[in-house]
Amino acid sequence: QLPPFLQQEIKAYKHRENAQASLFGKILLLYAFKKMNADYLLNHIQLGVKDRPFINDNLDFNISHSGDYIITAIAENSKVGIDIEKHRNLNISLFKKYFNDSEWNDIQTAQNKLKIFFDYWTIKESAIKCDGRGVEVLSKTHTLKQKVNCDGVLFDYKQLYIEDGYSCAVCSTNNFTVKCTPVLL
């Protein structure tokens, strides 16, 4: 059922776990279409600028996976981006260039620096995924109160609580309400 470009995407992963998560993300997307009573299949997926996948001008989606979770977001009549990250040890100083002074100060003064780092990171990543121009705008993406400025374009965002040790954010071109449907795969 996978179109050739999705087969290539999954085969390109170096780690089997990531390839499986990508495949399950597509299965989750099909499940969401069914729950919405939308007659879309994976071969309806189109690729836009920077190979950003979408369905059509009226229906957009985005998928993310990290750790034990795969998550998808679907939006009608707006663009959407989502990101989930499992907190893991890393040298956050290597990422300073992606944060403005206020964000970086919040990270550096936080009791749990990794949590705040990943909270900001998922907001930024969801915004660039929604925007579709790619990671080159990441350093120009700054978090505001319930908005994120992605290189001059404002998006609404919401942070989602998944469980301790994870950060997750969803971003859209329009104000939105989150409706979650947990699925066990």
Short mmCIF file of all heavy atoms in Angstrom, two decimals, residues 81-137:
data_model
loop_
_atom_site.label_atom_id
_atom_site.label_comp_id
_atom_site.label_asym_id
_atom_site.label_seq_id
_atom_site.Cartn_x
_atom_site.Cartn_y
_atom_site.Cartn_z
N GLY A 81 2.13 21.24 12.04
CA GLY A 81 3.40 20.58 12.30
C GLY A 81 3.37 20.04 13.71
O GLY A 81 2.76 20.63 14.60
N ILE A 82 4.01 18.91 13.93
CA ILE A 82 4.06 18.33 15.27
C ILE A 82 5.45 17.74 15.50
O ILE A 82 6.10 17.28 14.57
CB ILE A 82 2.95 17.25 15.46
CG1 ILE A 82 2.79 16.90 16.94
CG2 ILE A 82 3.21 16.02 14.60
CD1 ILE A 82 1.47 16.24 17.26
N ASP A 83 5.89 17.81 16.75
CA ASP A 83 7.17 17.21 17.10
C ASP A 83 7.09 16.62 18.50
O ASP A 83 6.50 17.22 19.40
CB ASP A 83 8.30 18.23 17.03
CG ASP A 83 9.67 17.56 17.14
OD1 ASP A 83 9.91 16.58 16.40
OD2 ASP A 83 10.49 18.02 17.96
N ILE A 84 7.65 15.45 18.66
CA ILE A 84 7.80 14.81 19.96
C ILE A 84 9.26 14.44 20.12
O ILE A 84 9.90 14.02 19.16
CB ILE A 84 6.87 13.58 20.11
CG1 ILE A 84 6.95 13.04 21.55
CG2 ILE A 84 7.18 12.50 19.09
CD1 ILE A 84 5.88 12.02 21.88
N GLU A 85 9.78 14.63 21.32
CA GLU A 85 11.17 14.28 21.60
C GLU A 85 11.27 13.61 22.96
O GLU A 85 10.75 14.13 23.95
CB GLU A 85 12.07 15.53 21.61
CG GLU A 85 12.24 16.20 20.28
CD GLU A 85 13.06 15.42 19.28
OE1 GLU A 85 13.83 14.52 19.70
OE2 GLU A 85 12.95 15.71 18.08
N LYS A 86 11.93 12.47 22.99
CA LYS A 86 12.26 11.84 24.26
C LYS A 86 13.48 12.57 24.81
O LYS A 86 14.45 12.81 24.08
CB LYS A 86 12.59 10.36 24.05
CG LYS A 86 12.91 9.64 25.34
CD LYS A 86 13.14 8.17 25.10
CE LYS A 86 13.42 7.51 26.45
NZ LYS A 86 13.57 6.06 26.30
N HIS A 87 13.42 12.96 26.07
CA HIS A 87 14.55 13.65 26.68
C HIS A 87 15.73 12.68 26.74
O HIS A 87 15.58 11.53 27.15
CB HIS A 87 14.21 14.13 28.08
CG HIS A 87 13.06 15.07 28.12
ND1 HIS A 87 12.52 15.52 29.30
CD2 HIS A 87 12.33 15.65 27.14
CE1 HIS A 87 11.51 16.34 29.04
NE2 HIS A 87 11.37 16.43 27.73
N ARG A 88 16.87 13.14 26.29
CA ARG A 88 18.08 12.33 26.31
C ARG A 88 19.27 13.25 26.59
O ARG A 88 19.21 14.45 26.29
CB ARG A 88 18.27 11.59 24.99
CG ARG A 88 18.32 12.50 23.78
CD ARG A 88 18.06 11.74 22.49
NE ARG A 88 18.10 12.61 21.34
CZ ARG A 88 17.12 13.40 20.95
NH1 ARG A 88 15.99 13.46 21.64
NH2 ARG A 88 17.23 14.16 19.88
N ASN A 89 20.30 12.70 27.15
CA ASN A 89 21.47 13.51 27.46
C ASN A 89 22.16 13.93 26.18
O ASN A 89 22.39 13.11 25.28
CB ASN A 89 22.45 12.72 28.34
CG ASN A 89 21.94 12.60 29.76
OD1 ASN A 89 21.29 13.51 30.27
ND2 ASN A 89 22.23 11.49 30.39
N LEU A 90 22.42 15.22 26.09
CA LEU A 90 23.19 15.75 24.98
C LEU A 90 23.82 17.06 25.42
O LEU A 90 23.42 17.65 26.43
CB LEU A 90 22.34 15.94 23.71
CG LEU A 90 21.01 16.68 23.79
CD1 LEU A 90 21.20 18.17 23.66
CD2 LEU A 90 20.13 16.19 22.68
N ASN A 91 24.80 17.49 24.69
CA ASN A 91 25.49 18.73 25.00
C ASN A 91 24.67 19.89 24.43
O ASN A 91 24.82 20.25 23.25
CB ASN A 91 26.90 18.70 24.41
CG ASN A 91 27.70 19.93 24.76
OD1 ASN A 91 27.19 20.89 25.33
ND2 ASN A 91 28.97 19.91 24.39
N ILE A 92 23.81 20.47 25.25
CA ILE A 92 22.90 21.50 24.75
C ILE A 92 23.62 22.77 24.32
O ILE A 92 23.08 23.53 23.52
CB ILE A 92 21.77 21.82 25.75
CG1 ILE A 92 22.31 22.34 27.08
CG2 ILE A 92 20.87 20.63 25.95
CD1 ILE A 92 21.24 22.76 28.05
N SER A 93 24.84 22.98 24.78
CA SER A 93 25.58 24.18 24.37
C SER A 93 25.83 24.19 22.86
O SER A 93 26.00 25.26 22.27
CB SER A 93 26.89 24.31 25.14
OG SER A 93 27.75 23.25 24.83
N LEU A 94 25.84 23.02 22.22
CA LEU A 94 26.02 22.95 20.78
C LEU A 94 24.83 23.56 20.01
O LEU A 94 24.94 23.84 18.82
CB LEU A 94 26.22 21.50 20.33
CG LEU A 94 27.45 20.78 20.89
CD1 LEU A 94 27.43 19.31 20.49
CD2 LEU A 94 28.72 21.46 20.41
N PHE A 95 23.72 23.75 20.69
CA PHE A 95 22.50 24.23 20.05
C PHE A 95 22.19 25.69 20.37
O PHE A 95 21.14 26.20 19.99
CB PHE A 95 21.31 23.35 20.49
CG PHE A 95 21.46 21.92 20.08
CD1 PHE A 95 22.12 21.01 20.88
CD2 PHE A 95 20.92 21.48 18.87
CE1 PHE A 95 22.26 19.70 20.50
CE2 PHE A 95 21.06 20.16 18.48
CZ PHE A 95 21.73 19.27 19.29
N LYS A 96 23.08 26.38 21.05
CA LYS A 96 22.83 27.76 21.49
C LYS A 96 22.42 28.67 20.34
O LYS A 96 21.55 29.53 20.49
CB LYS A 96 24.06 28.33 22.19
CG LYS A 96 23.82 29.71 22.73
CD LYS A 96 25.01 30.27 23.47
CE LYS A 96 24.59 31.62 24.03
NZ LYS A 96 25.70 32.46 24.34
N LYS A 97 22.97 28.48 19.16
CA LYS A 97 22.69 29.37 18.02
C LYS A 97 21.22 29.31 17.58
O LYS A 97 20.76 30.19 16.86
CB LYS A 97 23.61 29.04 16.84
CG LYS A 97 23.35 27.69 16.21
CD LYS A 97 24.32 27.44 15.07
CE LYS A 97 24.10 26.08 14.44
NZ LYS A 97 25.04 25.80 13.38
N TYR A 98 20.48 28.30 18.02
CA TYR A 98 19.08 28.17 17.61
C TYR A 98 18.11 28.85 18.57
O TYR A 98 16.90 28.80 18.37
CB TYR A 98 18.71 26.69 17.49
CG TYR A 98 19.53 25.98 16.45
CD1 TYR A 98 20.42 24.98 16.79
CD2 TYR A 98 19.41 26.32 15.10
CE1 TYR A 98 21.18 24.33 15.83
CE2 TYR A 98 20.17 25.68 14.13
CZ TYR A 98 21.04 24.68 14.51
OH TYR A 98 21.79 24.05 13.55
N PHE A 99 18.64 29.48 19.62
CA PHE A 99 17.80 30.10 20.64
C PHE A 99 18.13 31.58 20.79
O PHE A 99 19.29 31.97 20.68
CB PHE A 99 18.01 29.39 21.98
CG PHE A 99 17.62 27.94 21.96
CD1 PHE A 99 18.55 26.96 21.65
CD2 PHE A 99 16.31 27.56 22.21
CE1 PHE A 99 18.20 25.62 21.60
CE2 PHE A 99 15.94 26.22 22.18
CZ PHE A 99 16.88 25.25 21.87
N ASN A 100 17.10 32.39 21.05
CA ASN A 100 17.37 33.79 21.33
C ASN A 100 17.85 33.91 22.79
O ASN A 100 17.84 32.93 23.54
CB ASN A 100 16.17 34.68 21.02
CG ASN A 100 14.97 34.44 21.92
OD1 ASN A 100 15.09 34.02 23.07
ND2 ASN A 100 13.79 34.70 21.38
N ASP A 101 18.25 35.11 23.18
CA ASP A 101 18.83 35.30 24.52
C ASP A 101 17.86 34.92 25.63
O ASP A 101 18.25 34.30 26.62
CB ASP A 101 19.29 36.75 24.70
CG ASP A 101 20.50 37.10 23.85
OD1 ASP A 101 21.19 36.16 23.39
OD2 ASP A 101 20.74 38.30 23.63
N SER A 102 16.60 35.27 25.48
CA SER A 102 15.60 34.96 26.50
C SER A 102 15.40 33.45 26.64
O SER A 102 15.36 32.91 27.75
CB SER A 102 14.28 35.65 26.14
OG SER A 102 13.28 35.28 27.05
N GLU A 103 15.25 32.76 25.50
CA GLU A 103 15.09 31.30 25.53
C GLU A 103 16.31 30.63 26.15
O GLU A 103 16.18 29.73 26.99
CB GLU A 103 14.87 30.77 24.11
CG GLU A 103 13.58 31.21 23.47
CD GLU A 103 13.55 31.00 21.96
OE1 GLU A 103 14.62 30.82 21.33
OE2 GLU A 103 12.43 31.02 21.41
N TRP A 104 17.50 31.08 25.74
CA TRP A 104 18.73 30.48 26.24
C TRP A 104 18.87 30.71 27.74
O TRP A 104 19.27 29.80 28.48
CB TRP A 104 19.94 31.01 25.48
CG TRP A 104 21.18 30.23 25.79
CD1 TRP A 104 22.27 30.65 26.49
CD2 TRP A 104 21.43 28.86 25.45
NE1 TRP A 104 23.19 29.64 26.60
CE2 TRP A 104 22.69 28.52 25.96
CE3 TRP A 104 20.71 27.89 24.76
CZ2 TRP A 104 23.26 27.26 25.81
CZ3 TRP A 104 21.26 26.63 24.60
CH2 TRP A 104 22.52 26.33 25.12
N ASN A 105 18.49 31.90 28.21
CA ASN A 105 18.52 32.19 29.64
C ASN A 105 17.56 31.27 30.39
O ASN A 105 17.90 30.76 31.46
CB ASN A 105 18.18 33.65 29.90
CG ASN A 105 18.32 34.00 31.36
OD1 ASN A 105 19.39 33.86 31.95
ND2 ASN A 105 17.21 34.45 31.96
N ASP A 106 16.36 31.07 29.86
CA ASP A 106 15.41 30.14 30.48
C ASP A 106 16.00 28.74 30.61
O ASP A 106 15.85 28.09 31.64
CB ASP A 106 14.11 30.05 29.67
CG ASP A 106 13.25 31.29 29.75
OD1 ASP A 106 13.53 32.18 30.61
OD2 ASP A 106 12.30 31.39 28.95
N ILE A 107 16.66 28.28 29.57
CA ILE A 107 17.27 26.95 29.59
C ILE A 107 18.38 26.89 30.63
O ILE A 107 18.45 25.96 31.44
CB ILE A 107 17.81 26.57 28.19
CG1 ILE A 107 16.66 26.41 27.20
CG2 ILE A 107 18.67 25.31 28.25
CD1 ILE A 107 17.07 26.35 25.74
N GLN A 108 19.26 27.88 30.61
CA GLN A 108 20.43 27.87 31.50
C GLN A 108 20.06 28.02 32.97
O GLN A 108 20.78 27.51 33.84
CB GLN A 108 21.41 28.98 31.09
CG GLN A 108 22.07 28.73 29.76
CD GLN A 108 22.81 27.40 29.73
OE1 GLN A 108 23.69 27.13 30.54
NE2 GLN A 108 22.42 26.54 28.80
N THR A 109 18.98 28.72 33.27
CA THR A 109 18.59 28.94 34.67
C THR A 109 17.58 27.92 35.18
O THR A 109 17.21 27.96 36.35
CB THR A 109 18.04 30.37 34.87
OG1 THR A 109 16.90 30.55 34.03
CG2 THR A 109 19.11 31.42 34.55
N ALA A 110 17.14 27.03 34.33
CA ALA A 110 16.13 26.04 34.73
C ALA A 110 16.73 24.97 35.64
O ALA A 110 17.90 24.61 35.50
CB ALA A 110 15.54 25.36 33.49
N GLN A 111 15.90 24.47 36.54
CA GLN A 111 16.33 23.38 37.40
C GLN A 111 16.55 22.12 36.56
O GLN A 111 17.49 21.38 36.78
CB GLN A 111 15.28 23.13 38.48
CG GLN A 111 15.75 22.21 39.56
CD GLN A 111 14.81 22.22 40.74
OE1 GLN A 111 13.74 22.79 40.71
NE2 GLN A 111 15.23 21.57 41.82
N ASN A 112 15.68 21.90 35.58
CA ASN A 112 15.81 20.77 34.67
C ASN A 112 16.08 21.32 33.26
O ASN A 112 15.16 21.54 32.48
CB ASN A 112 14.54 19.91 34.69
CG ASN A 112 14.67 18.65 33.87
OD1 ASN A 112 15.53 18.53 33.00
ND2 ASN A 112 13.80 17.68 34.14
N LYS A 113 17.35 21.57 32.97
CA LYS A 113 17.74 22.20 31.71
C LYS A 113 17.30 21.39 30.49
O LYS A 113 16.84 21.96 29.49
CB LYS A 113 19.26 22.39 31.66
CG LYS A 113 19.77 23.45 32.61
CD LYS A 113 21.29 23.50 32.59
CE LYS A 113 21.88 24.57 33.46
NZ LYS A 113 21.40 24.64 34.83
N LEU A 114 17.43 20.06 30.54
CA LEU A 114 17.04 19.23 29.40
C LEU A 114 15.55 19.34 29.10
O LEU A 114 15.16 19.40 27.94
CB LEU A 114 17.42 17.76 29.63
CG LEU A 114 18.88 17.41 29.38
CD1 LEU A 114 19.14 15.96 29.73
CD2 LEU A 114 19.28 17.68 27.94
N LYS A 115 14.72 19.38 30.14
CA LYS A 115 13.28 19.49 29.91
C LYS A 115 12.95 20.80 29.20
O LYS A 115 12.22 20.81 28.20
CB LYS A 115 12.50 19.40 31.21
CG LYS A 115 10.99 19.55 30.99
CD LYS A 115 10.22 19.72 32.28
CE LYS A 115 8.74 19.87 32.07
NZ LYS A 115 8.30 20.79 31.04
N ILE A 116 13.49 21.89 29.69
CA ILE A 116 13.20 23.20 29.08
C ILE A 116 13.79 23.26 27.67
O ILE A 116 13.15 23.77 26.75
CB ILE A 116 13.73 24.35 29.96
CG1 ILE A 116 13.10 24.29 31.35
CG2 ILE A 116 13.47 25.70 29.30
CD1 ILE A 116 11.57 24.29 31.37
N PHE A 117 14.99 22.72 27.49
CA PHE A 117 15.58 22.65 26.16
C PHE A 117 14.64 21.94 25.20
O PHE A 117 14.30 22.44 24.12
CB PHE A 117 16.94 21.95 26.19
CG PHE A 117 17.47 21.62 24.82
CD1 PHE A 117 18.15 22.57 24.09
CD2 PHE A 117 17.27 20.37 24.26
CE1 PHE A 117 18.63 22.28 22.81
CE2 PHE A 117 17.74 20.06 22.99
CZ PHE A 117 18.42 21.02 22.27
N PHE A 118 14.19 20.73 25.56
CA PHE A 118 13.32 19.96 24.66
C PHE A 118 11.93 20.59 24.52
O PHE A 118 11.32 20.47 23.46
CB PHE A 118 13.23 18.50 25.10
CG PHE A 118 14.44 17.69 24.70
CD1 PHE A 118 15.33 17.22 25.65
CD2 PHE A 118 14.70 17.42 23.36
CE1 PHE A 118 16.45 16.49 25.28
CE2 PHE A 118 15.80 16.69 22.97
CZ PHE A 118 16.69 16.23 23.94
N ASP A 119 11.44 21.26 25.55
CA ASP A 119 10.17 21.98 25.41
C ASP A 119 10.29 23.04 24.31
O ASP A 119 9.45 23.11 23.40
CB ASP A 119 9.76 22.66 26.72
CG ASP A 119 9.20 21.69 27.75
OD1 ASP A 119 8.96 20.50 27.42
OD2 ASP A 119 9.01 22.13 28.91
N TYR A 120 11.33 23.85 24.37
CA TYR A 120 11.55 24.87 23.33
C TYR A 120 11.82 24.21 21.97
O TYR A 120 11.33 24.66 20.95
CB TYR A 120 12.73 25.78 23.68
CG TYR A 120 12.38 26.95 24.57
CD1 TYR A 120 13.08 27.20 25.74
CD2 TYR A 120 11.36 27.82 24.23
CE1 TYR A 120 12.78 28.27 26.56
CE2 TYR A 120 11.05 28.90 25.04
CZ TYR A 120 11.76 29.12 26.20
OH TYR A 120 11.45 30.19 26.99
N TRP A 121 12.63 23.16 21.99
CA TRP A 121 13.02 22.52 20.72
C TRP A 121 11.80 21.99 19.99
O TRP A 121 11.68 22.15 18.78
CB TRP A 121 14.02 21.40 20.99
CG TRP A 121 14.59 20.86 19.73
CD1 TRP A 121 14.20 19.74 19.04
CD2 TRP A 121 15.64 21.44 18.96
NE1 TRP A 121 14.95 19.59 17.90
CE2 TRP A 121 15.85 20.63 17.83
CE3 TRP A 121 16.44 22.58 19.13
CZ2 TRP A 121 16.81 20.91 16.87
CZ3 TRP A 121 17.40 22.85 18.17
CH2 TRP A 121 17.57 22.02 17.06
N THR A 122 10.86 21.35 20.70
CA THR A 122 9.69 20.79 20.03
C THR A 122 8.78 21.89 19.48
O THR A 122 8.17 21.70 18.42
CB THR A 122 8.89 19.84 20.95
OG1 THR A 122 8.51 20.52 22.14
CG2 THR A 122 9.69 18.59 21.26
N ILE A 123 8.72 23.01 20.17
CA ILE A 123 7.93 24.13 19.63
C ILE A 123 8.56 24.61 18.32
O ILE A 123 7.88 24.77 17.30
CB ILE A 123 7.86 25.29 20.65
CG1 ILE A 123 7.07 24.88 21.88
CG2 ILE A 123 7.22 26.53 20.00
CD1 ILE A 123 7.20 25.84 23.06
N LYS A 124 9.87 24.82 18.33
CA LYS A 124 10.57 25.29 17.14
C LYS A 124 10.47 24.28 15.99
O LYS A 124 10.21 24.63 14.85
CB LYS A 124 12.04 25.57 17.46
CG LYS A 124 12.25 26.77 18.36
CD LYS A 124 13.69 26.84 18.84
CE LYS A 124 13.95 28.06 19.66
NZ LYS A 124 14.16 29.27 18.87
N GLU A 125 10.68 23.01 16.32
CA GLU A 125 10.64 21.96 15.29
C GLU A 125 9.23 21.83 14.70
O GLU A 125 9.07 21.67 13.49
CB GLU A 125 11.10 20.63 15.89
CG GLU A 125 11.22 19.52 14.90
CD GLU A 125 12.40 19.63 13.96
OE1 GLU A 125 13.38 20.32 14.28
OE2 GLU A 125 12.33 19.01 12.88
N SER A 126 8.21 21.91 15.55
CA SER A 126 6.83 21.84 15.02
C SER A 126 6.55 23.03 14.11
O SER A 126 5.86 22.90 13.10
CB SER A 126 5.81 21.73 16.14
OG SER A 126 5.72 22.91 16.91
N ALA A 127 7.11 24.19 14.45
CA ALA A 127 6.91 25.38 13.62
C ALA A 127 7.60 25.24 12.26
O ALA A 127 6.99 25.56 11.23
CB ALA A 127 7.42 26.63 14.34
N ILE A 128 8.84 24.74 12.23
CA ILE A 128 9.51 24.63 10.94
C ILE A 128 8.88 23.53 10.09
O ILE A 128 8.88 23.61 8.87
CB ILE A 128 11.04 24.48 11.04
CG1 ILE A 128 11.44 23.18 11.69
CG2 ILE A 128 11.65 25.65 11.77
CD1 ILE A 128 12.93 22.87 11.57
N LYS A 129 8.32 22.51 10.75
CA LYS A 129 7.62 21.47 9.99
C LYS A 129 6.31 22.02 9.42
O LYS A 129 5.93 21.69 8.30
CB LYS A 129 7.37 20.25 10.89
CG LYS A 129 8.66 19.50 11.22
CD LYS A 129 8.47 18.44 12.28
CE LYS A 129 7.82 17.21 11.70
NZ LYS A 129 7.71 16.12 12.69
N CYS A 130 5.63 22.86 10.18
CA CYS A 130 4.41 23.50 9.70
C CYS A 130 4.74 24.46 8.55
O CYS A 130 4.08 24.48 7.53
CB CYS A 130 3.74 24.25 10.84
SG CYS A 130 2.16 25.01 10.45
N ASP A 131 5.79 25.23 8.73
CA ASP A 131 6.22 26.22 7.74
C ASP A 131 6.64 25.56 6.43
O ASP A 131 6.29 26.04 5.36
CB ASP A 131 7.38 27.02 8.34
CG ASP A 131 7.92 28.07 7.40
OD1 ASP A 131 7.31 29.15 7.33
OD2 ASP A 131 8.93 27.78 6.73
N GLY A 132 7.41 24.49 6.52
CA GLY A 132 7.78 23.75 5.33
C GLY A 132 9.02 24.20 4.60
O GLY A 132 9.42 23.58 3.62
N ARG A 133 9.67 25.26 5.07
CA ARG A 133 10.87 25.73 4.37
C ARG A 133 12.13 24.99 4.78
O ARG A 133 13.17 25.16 4.17
CB ARG A 133 11.07 27.23 4.59
CG ARG A 133 10.06 28.07 3.84
CD ARG A 133 10.29 29.53 4.05
NE ARG A 133 9.80 29.90 5.39
CZ ARG A 133 10.03 31.06 5.96
NH1 ARG A 133 10.75 31.98 5.36
NH2 ARG A 133 9.53 31.31 7.16
N GLY A 134 12.08 24.20 5.82
CA GLY A 134 13.23 23.40 6.21
C GLY A 134 14.02 23.99 7.36
O GLY A 134 13.72 25.06 7.87
N VAL A 135 15.05 23.25 7.77
CA VAL A 135 15.81 23.60 8.97
C VAL A 135 16.59 24.91 8.84
O VAL A 135 17.02 25.45 9.86
CB VAL A 135 16.77 22.46 9.39
CG1 VAL A 135 16.00 21.24 9.82
CG2 VAL A 135 17.75 22.13 8.30
N GLU A 136 16.75 25.42 7.65
CA GLU A 136 17.51 26.67 7.53
C GLU A 136 16.83 27.83 8.24
O GLU A 136 17.46 28.84 8.52
CB GLU A 136 17.82 27.03 6.07
CG GLU A 136 16.61 27.20 5.19
CD GLU A 136 16.23 25.92 4.46
OE1 GLU A 136 16.73 24.85 4.79
OE2 GLU A 136 15.41 26.02 3.55
N VAL A 137 15.53 27.72 8.57
CA VAL A 137 14.85 28.80 9.30
C VAL A 137 14.86 28.54 10.81
O VAL A 137 14.38 29.37 11.57
CB VAL A 137 13.41 29.04 8.80
CG1 VAL A 137 13.41 29.48 7.35
CG2 VAL A 137 12.53 27.84 9.01
#
